[in-house]
Amino acid sequence: MTNHWIDIINSDCVLIMGSNAAENHPISFKWVLRAKKKNGAKIIHVDPRFTRTSARADFHASLRSGTDIAFLGGMINYILANRKFFQDYVVNYTNGAFLVDQGFSFSDGLFSGYDATARKYDKATWSFQKDAGGVVKKDPTLKDPRCVLRLLQKHYGRYDLDKVSSITGTPVEDLKAVYEMYTATGKADKAGTIMYALGWTQHTVGTQNIRTMAIIQLLLGNIGVCGGGVNALRGEPNVQGSTDHCILYHILPGYMKAPNVAMPDLNSYIQTCTPKSDEPQSANWWGNYSKYIVSLLKSWYRDAATQDNDFCYSHVPKLDVGQNTSIMNTFDLMYEGKMKGYICLAQNPACSMPNAGKVRQALGKLDWLVHANIFDNETPSFWHAPGMDPGQIKTEVFLLPAAASIEKSGSLTNSGRWVQWKYVAAQPPGQAIAVGDMVYRLVAKLKELYKKEGGTAPEPIQDLYWDYGDGKGGFDPLATAKAINGFFLEDATIKGKAYKKGQTVPSFGLLTDDGKTSAGNWLYTGMFNLAGENLSARRGKADPTGLGLYSQWAWCWPVNRRVLYNRASVDPAGRPYNPARPLIAWKDGRWVGDVPDGPWPPMANRQKGKLPFIMKPHGVSSIFGPGLVEGPFPEHYEPVESPLPGNPMSGQRINPAVKLFKGAADPYAINDPKFPIVCSTYTATEHWCTGAITRWMSWLTEAMPQAYVEISRELAEAKGIDNGDKVRVLSKRGAVDCVAMVTYRLRPFQVQGKPVHQVGMTFNYGWRFPPDAGDSANLLTPTVGDANTMAPEYKAFMVDVVKVEEAKHHAG
Amino acid sequence: MQGKSMIVDTSLCTACRGCQVACKQWHGLPGTKTKQTGTYQNPPDLSADTYKLVRFAEGRKEDGKPYWHFFSDSCRHCLDPGCMAGDQNNSIVQDKRTGAVLYTQGTRKLNYRAVREGCPYNIPRQDPRSKVLCKCDMCIDRLRDNMVPACVQACPTGALHFGDRRRILHKVALRVVELKKHYPKARALNPQDVRVVYIVTDDPDTYFELAEA
Amino acid sequence: MPKFTRRQFLGASGALAGGLALSSLGIPLGALQAHARDLSKAGRIKTARTTISTCYYCSVSCGLLCSTDQKTGQIINIEGDPDHPISEGSLCAKGAAMFQMSDHNQHRLAKVLYRRPFGTEWEVKDWDWAVEKMARNIKSVRDQDFMYKNAQGQVVNRLETIGHMGSSKVDNEECWLITTMARALGLVHIDHQARV
C-alpha cells in the first residue's frame, strides 16, 4: 500500500476491484464503512461475483474474469473524453507532458519493437525525446501529438463503452455508473482509493492490471494524498516483510537487483543498477544504490568484506542474463528431475501451486524435501496422498515442528508498511521451535561442517556473519532485527555529527558505501534509533493531524513515512491540494505533518526543490511506463484459456510476452469446446490460503467445512444441478469433486453477443484434513503466469461442471 | 431497571463471523462437524454448542441484481422473556444490573419444548447430554469486569454495539433516521421488547423468518 | 492445577452465570458461588499474564491480547487489543479463532518427523539428528553441483539443484535469516508466497 489501513477513512470514493476486501481483509471494512459515514464516500465493488464485499458496497458491477484492463481502459477513455483529469497534477507530477520517441507506435495489439519468435520486445523506441543536455522534452500544454497524454488518448480512445461492455460483459449502464462515481475524485479536494489484491496480480496481465489503475490514479491526482493511493491488500501476515527482505530470486533485501553475469564485479553492479537522470529537479533516490548494497554486503560478511575484495560481492550468486528461477520454473525443472533438494518453509505448494497434480508428482522426484510448519499439510505428506504409492517414492522428507507466531517474539510488517513487534505468549508444544531457530541451527551446522571438512566454495558460508544466537541454541530476534537495521561499524562523523561504533543507524540517509555502516535491509534502517530503542514496539496513540497517521504507533518504512509520495499532495508551492486533509504542508520554511518524501523545499524553489516521485529517475510518476515487458500502455489481451476464439481488441489473442509452458504435463484448453465455462479461484474469510492452518481449527471448518463451487442459477438449470449436489469440476489438467452452491450472486455474461458462464471455487481445501473436505482447486489451474512477475494465472481458466453421477456414467 | 442493550446493525455487517467464533472462543464451545449443503451458513442452526450464528439469505432484487443479507442471530434478552413463562423455580433469571436473561443448571428440569415454544425467536437449545438449556448469556462474566460481550468486542465494523439501554435506544433511533434516507424500509425490530435490537434495511423476513416477533 | 475447559467447568461447578445472577438478585449461594467467582474466565484473565501479539493471517495485522495462565504457562484466552489503532479490538472469524493455533490444538506438530526414502510412515527423530542430516544433505548436493562458472565461462557462484520456498508466514527477522542463508548457499531458485 502506498497509504495504510486507517487512511481509507479519508477517501471520498473507495473502488474495490481485484479484491474481496470484506471477506479477505475483514478489518479493512471498519475503515471503508467509516469513510462512508464520515465523508459520504461511495463504495464500489467490481468483481465477477457478488460477495460479502458487494453486499456492503453502494454499487456492484460484475465483469468477466480477465477483462480488468478493458474495464479500466474504458475509464481512462471516459476521463480523457470528459476532461475529468487533474491537469496541474498531470503536468507537474507525471510524465503526461513528456514527448515520446518518434519511433514509438502501436498497431493491432502490438507496440513497436516486437520479436514474435522470441515473444519479446526491443524497447528502444519506448523512450522519451531529449534535448542536447539529456533533459526530456515536454509540452506542458499537453497539445503536442507526441506527448504522453495525447498518445494515451489515442490508445484508449479505442475502449468505448460498447466495445468494453462486449468484452467484459458488464452492462453499459453499470460501466457509466462506475466511471462517473469514481472519476468525480479528479478534483483537488477529493480523493479516491483503490483496494486491490490477488484478483489483479494473478493474471497473465497482472502487472498491467495494476498499471492501468495507477494511470487512472495519476490522471485523477489520487497518489500521494490522504484517502488515495494504489493499495495492494497483501494477503499474508508478513508478505510485506518477506517481500521487503526478498525471499525472491530476482531481488536482494531492500528491492535491489539480484546480480547477473553482466555485472561481474561490484563496480559494474553499481553502474548497471544506479539509475541516471539529467532532470534538474529529480531527487533520483536510487542514486544511493551503492550505499545500500555495500551496507548489505557488510551486514552479511562484516569483517570479511573489505574494499579490497569488493565487499565479498563475488560470494553473491549470479544469474545468467534473462534467467528466470521463479517458482513455476523451479517446479517445471523439479518435474523433469533436475532438482535434488528443496527447502519449503511454512508454505504448501502441493495445494497452492497451479496444476497441483504436476507439483505433487514433481515432489516425488526430489532426493529430499525439508518442510517446517505448525500443522501437517499436503506438501510434506505428498508421498501418502491418494493415488501415491510410497514404496515407489524415493524422496526423503523432514517435517519440522514450528512455533506459532504467538509463541515467538519478532516483528511483522503489515500491508501499510507498519512494522509491529510482538512477544512470546507461551512456549511452543513439545519439540517445536521457531523457524528462525531452525535456520540458525542449520547454517551454524553448515559452517561447522565446512570448517571441519572443507568442500566446494566454502567461502560464502565460512565468511558469513552469523552471530545471531540467543546462547541457548536458537536465534535472538532482537539482535537480528538490529542487524537488519544496521550499525555504525566504525566511529564516524557524517554531515557534521559524530556516531560511535556499534550504534544502530537511525536513518538510511546515514548509510555509506565505504564499509563503515552495515544494514541488512536499508528500508528498515531507522527501526531502531541511535540509542538502540526498538521503535516497532511503540504504542503511542497521538494523532495530531487527525488523519489517522498514528506516527508513534510502531514504526513504518521508509523512515516512518505513513503515506508514500506525500509531496504530491501539495502544489508546487507546498500548499496542500486539499486543505481539509493536509497530509503535509510547507510552513515557515519547513514541512509539517507526515514525514515528507525528503527534506527539500517545495519544487517551486527551482534551486533546492525536488519533484515528488523520488524513487523514479525523472522525479515524476509514469503514465507512460516503459518498464514492463508487454508495453508502456496496458492493452487488453484474453487469458490464455478464454471463452473467445480471438481478442475483440486486436489480432493478438493473448499477452504477446507471456511464457507458455510446453511440457506434456501442462496442457492448455484453447478454444476447446469440452471446457466452455470460465472459472476463477479465491478464498473465503473463514480459511486462509490452502487451509493448511485453518483446516485444523474446528471453529473454522465448522463454518466452512468442504470444497464447493459457486454456480449461477442459470447454469445450474441448464446442467440440471440442484443446490447441494455433488459435482465434478474438470479442466484440461484435472478434476475436483465438490458441492454445488447454486446462487443468485453469479450471473451469465453477455460477451460478444453470446452468453458466457462463469463459476468460482475457493482454493482452501486439500485431501489431508479434514478427511471429507475435498481436494485443491489448484488441481485445475494452468501453469502460466504474469509476463513480468510470473505470478500464476489463478483467476481465469476454462472448465466444465457435471453432476458426479453423470461423471461416473461417462467414465463407465 | 434500564440495564444494558445491544444494537445489531445489519447495514454494517459483513458476515465475517468474528462474532460467531469469538462467542465460541470465550465460552469454550466446540466446533461441530458440519457439511457443505450449498450455503455459507454453517453450522446450520443454533445449538447447545452455538449461541451465536450468522445467518445468510440471498435473493434477487426488483432490478435483477442480487442481495445478500446477514443476520447475526442470538438471544434477544427480552424485557419480558417468553421463555421464563413456565419456569416456577427461578432456573431462568434476569440479571438485575444488566437485564441479561440467564439459564442456570436448574433448567435441566424444565420442559424444553415449552421453553422453546415460549420464545418467539426460537433461541433456547438443550444440551443433549446434561439436558441443561443454553443460549447466549450476554457474556455476563465479562460485563461484571467491565468488558463488552465477546461478540461485540470482535465485531470489526460496529455492526454490534453494546451499552446502556437508554443510550442504545437513542442511537438506534438516530441510525434508523439516517438509513431511511437511502433505505425506505429501514427500521428497528421490536426495540421496546428486546435488549438486542436489530436494525434492518429490507423486509425482516428477507433476512430470517424469525427476525421479528 | 487440573486442566479444564470452560464448558467442563460449567458442568462441574454449577451454574456460573446463573449463580452470579442469583447473587445479584439477592439470593445467597455461599461457598459455591465464591468458588465460581474465583474461577470465572474473566477472573482468570485478570490474574493471567497479558502478552501483546499480532494476528497471523491477512496483512492488516490486527492487535491481539493473549492471556497466559501464570501457573500452567498455557494460553487461556486470545482476543483483540482494544488499544490497537487499526483493529480497535476487533477480529474476524480467523483472528477470533487464534486460540486454536495454540498448543490446545491437539493437531499441532510437536515432534521432529522423518520419512526415509520409500518409507511408508513417519519416524520420530530429535533435533540434533535432523539438523546434522539436513546439513549433510545440503552439503553433499552443494559440494557436487555448485557452479563456479556457466557454460560461457562467466563467474556465477551458484547452486541450481537446491531450491528454497517460503515464507511470508514467519517474522521479519526469520525472513531475513532465510534470505541470507539462501544467498550464502548460492541458491537461485528462491521464492515464496509473494509470487504465489
Side-chain angles (χ1 to χ4, degrees), chain A residues 3 107 116 153 178 216 221 247 272 276 430 493 589 671 673 723 759:
Chain A
N3 295 40
S107 168
Q153 191 165 32
V178 173
I216 291 169
I247 307 176
T272 309
K276 288 153 195 78
T493 301
N671 301 327
N723 193 34
V759 298

Side-chain angles (χ1 to χ4, degrees), chain A residues 340-345 367-373 396-401 433-447 449-450 461, chain C residues 112-115 122 125-143 159 162-164 181 185:
Chain A
K340 291 179 182 166
Y342 204 57
I343 304 167
C344 175
L345 305 178
D367 291 343
W368 50 265
L369 170 70
V370 173
H371 184 82
N373 222 316
E396 233 182 325
V397 184
F398 300 83
L399 177 50
L400 310 176
I433 60 174
V435 165
D437 293 330
M438 300 174 199
V439 173
Y440 175 76
R441 289 187 67 170
L442 191 56
V443 172
K445 176 60 75 176
L446 281 162
K447 282 174 86 78
L449 291 181
Y450 274 95
I461 291 170
Chain C
V112 176
L113 298 178
Y114 173 73
R115 185 258 177 184
W122 293 112
K125 297 289 182 185
D126 63 44
W127 276 112
D128 287 343
W129 181 91
V131 169
E132 172 90 21
K133 184 81 165 74
M134 290 186 292
R136 292 253 168 233
N137 280 1
I138 291 170
K139 186 167 186 298
S140 150
V141 176
R142 189 176 182 275
D143 282 349
L159 173 60
I162 295 178
H164 177 92
M181 170 181 74
L185 291 174

Side-chain angles (χ1 to χ4, degrees), chain A residues 34 234 248 396 420 425 685, chain C residues 59 68 88 94 114 133:
Chain A
R34 278 192 197 169
R234 310 219 55 189
L248 294 160
E396 233 182 325
Q420 300 187 94
T685 310
Chain C
S59 58
T68 307
E88 298 176 328
K94 289 194 295 294
Y114 173 73
K133 184 81 165 74

Side-chain angles (χ1 to χ4, degrees), chain A residues 653-675:
Chain A
R653 193 181 74 85
I654 61 168
N655 184 338
V658 78
K659 171 176 174 170
L660 298 170
F661 285 75
K662 302 275 164 55
D666 283 309
Y668 303 118
I670 294 168
N671 301 327
D672 188 336
K674 280 192 285 191
F675 304 101

